[in-house]
Amino acid sequence: MAEAHLSRIIMNPTVCEGRPHVSGTTVEVATILDALAQGATVEEILGDYPVLVPLDFQAAAAYSARLIRQ
């Protein structure tokens, strides 16, 4: 299940001003979700952010779903 990938999303006060981002990158969860909401495909986003892997999209979605459930 996608929740198993939540460890890929971290918050570090010294990176991205503490906002949730993909571990090992400075790509914020909000950046991924904004791009998807604007109609970008996973492939397009991967082209723009080659540090990401497809699993990061599942992690971002799982992280967002968890926040909504709280």
Side-chain angles (χ1 to χ4, degrees):
M1 184 153 255
E3 287 231 1
H5 309 305
L6 281 174
S7 64
R8 299 184 67 80
I9 306 300
I10 63 170
M11 291 188 300
N12 178 334
T14 64
V15 179
C16 298
E17 298 180 0
R19 292 184 294 272
H21 61 281
V22 177
S23 180
T25 78
T26 57
V27 181
E28 297 179 21
V29 169
T31 300
I32 295 169
L33 297 177
D34 285 342
L36 290 169
Q38 292 175 16
T41 66
V42 169
E43 292 77 18
E44 290 170 333
I45 300 167
L46 288 171
D48 291 338
Y49 299 95
V51 298
L52 297 178
V53 297
L55 192 57
D56 296 328
F57 294 85
Q58 291 175 322
Y63 179 84
S64 301
R66 177 177 273 187
L67 286 180
I68 291 168
R69 283 193 301 272
Q70 292 180 349

